[in-house]
Amino acid sequence: MGLTWTAPEIAAEWVRLVRSSTQGLFQANFVLHFEPKALCAVLEAGIPIVTFSWGLPTHEAKLVKEAGAQLGIQVVSPQGALRALELEPDFLICQGIEAGGHVQSSTPLMELLPKVMAVADDTPVIAAGGISVGAQIQEVLDLGATGAMLGTRFVATQESRAHPLYKRALVDHVDTALTICFDGGWPNAPHRVLRNSTYLNWEAAGSPQEPVRPGEGEKTAHILGEPIWRYEDTAPRNGMEGDLEAMCLYAGTGVANIHDLPSAQDLITRLIAEAGL
């Protein structure tokens, strides 16, 4: 549950809803480029796991531990892993450059993972970035990872809140770009997306900066009367209307292996079988 930009009272309600719906573990993530305003609220609501990315939770780690939740920290280098380990996390997330969405890493996962494993000692490491099939899960487990984290693959499932057009685009496209094109809301943060019309027009124009990008200031979509402007970092979700194809379509490189829209349960069963687990 990405709750960085969610109001505390809404985030807490979502945590309570999920807690009442499952006996399993689930997590909330906070991007530390922004203030984690909902952190205390979700801890009070009983979130079992909290992860942080794009920074070190120097002050937040204590709050998580005092609340009895597990702490995970995303790292993208062995040096970063060493600094994160000083905060005594329950696990690390090792992100490779193949990841979709906002990408903190600059190193391929299979190059990075052994280096992080070498310094992690007994701390579990979760591999992330471009993983979408069971064979890739088995590959990172064979390297010593405790588990694998899949993002894009689960956007393309029946239960996902992503808009149907976005889901279909994940099935139909295989080509992604790591870019700073969709910077509205988070300037200068690299992100991996599908090469859609907005990206291709911007690239063809020489990848100009604001305010002279093609279509600058145009409204591409809306939801409940709220406009979504071209170059915003918002992905299409249920309830949005407009030129959704032109919006930010986050996707990791694992999109090349996505060919259907299964239920989450069927997908998990398939991945376990493919990985031989």
Side-chain angles (χ1 to χ4, degrees):
M1 303 171 68
L3 300 178
T4 304
W5 300 275
T6 305
E9 61 274 13
I10 296 175
E13 178 58 29
W14 286 355
V15 169
R16 288 191 289 267
L17 177 61
V18 176
R19 284 195 64 190
S20 68
S21 303
T22 179
Q23 298 298 314
L25 297 174
F26 61 100
Q27 65 156 315
N29 172 259
F30 292 94
V31 173
L32 290 177
H33 186 89
F34 304 88
E35 181 184 355
K37 295 181 179 179
L39 176 59
C40 290
V42 301
L43 289 173
E44 292 174 3
I47 190 75
I49 305 171
V50 181
T51 65
F52 297 95
S53 56
W54 288 82
L56 294 173
T58 306
H59 305 292
E60 295 82 4
K62 181 179 180 182
L63 297 176
V64 173
K65 293 178 181 180
E66 288 177 345
Q70 295 186 47
L71 170 67
I73 303 175
Q74 180 173 287
V75 299
V76 297
S77 70
Q79 295 86 351
L82 287 170
R83 293 190 62 185
L85 289 168
E86 294 175 359
L87 300 174
E88 299 181 344
D90 294 286
F91 61 97
L92 298 175
I93 302 168
C94 175
Q95 186 201 54
I97 196 172
E98 300 91 344
H102 286 92
V103 182
Q104 186 179 341
S105 182
S106 60
T107 308
L109 177 61
M110 301 309 289
E111 176 184 337
L112 177 62
L113 182 58
K115 296 177 181 178
V116 171
M117 294 294 307
V119 301
D121 198 17
D122 294 331
T123 301
V125 176
I126 308 299
I131 302 172
S132 58
V133 294
Q136 294 168 317
I137 296 173
Q138 187 59 61
E139 188 174 10
V140 297
L141 295 179
D142 287 344
L143 286 177
T146 301
M149 181 175 288
L150 286 68
T152 306
R153 175 62 272 197
F154 280 91
V155 176
T157 56
Q158 296 172 17
E159 294 88 348
S160 163
R161 293 174 64 232
H163 193 278
L165 182 146
Y166 180 16
K167 296 181 186 182
R168 178 49 53 185
L170 293 174
V171 172
D172 294 340
H173 292 74
V174 298
D175 197 13
T176 67
L178 184 61
T179 180
I180 57 169
C181 176
F182 296 93
D183 68 348
W186 192 352
N188 302 315
H191 43 270
R192 187 176 295 281
V193 295
L194 296 178
R195 297 174 185 266
N196 66 353
S197 58
T198 295
Y199 174 82
L200 292 173
N201 288 334
W202 172 75
E203 186 179 53
S207 305
Q209 294 183 336
E210 185 183 7
V212 295
R213 297 173 294 188
E216 192 84 57
E218 293 178 353
K219 182 175 75 171
T220 55
H222 61 90
I223 182 169
L224 300 176
E226 291 294 321
I228 300 166
W229 308 103
R230 194 177 301 277
Y231 300 109
E232 278 195 37
D233 63 352
T234 302
R237 65 177 183 273
N238 288 333
M240 291 182 174
E241 298 179 342
D243 187 7
L244 305 182
E245 182 278 339
M247 293 176 62
C248 181
L249 306 177
Y250 295 119
T253 60
V255 72
N257 296 314
I258 296 177
H259 307 297
D260 59 357
L261 298 171
S263 70
Q265 178 176 333
D266 287 346
L267 176 58
I268 291 172
T269 300
R270 179 200 306 174
L271 292 170
I272 290 174
E274 290 176 348
L277 301 176

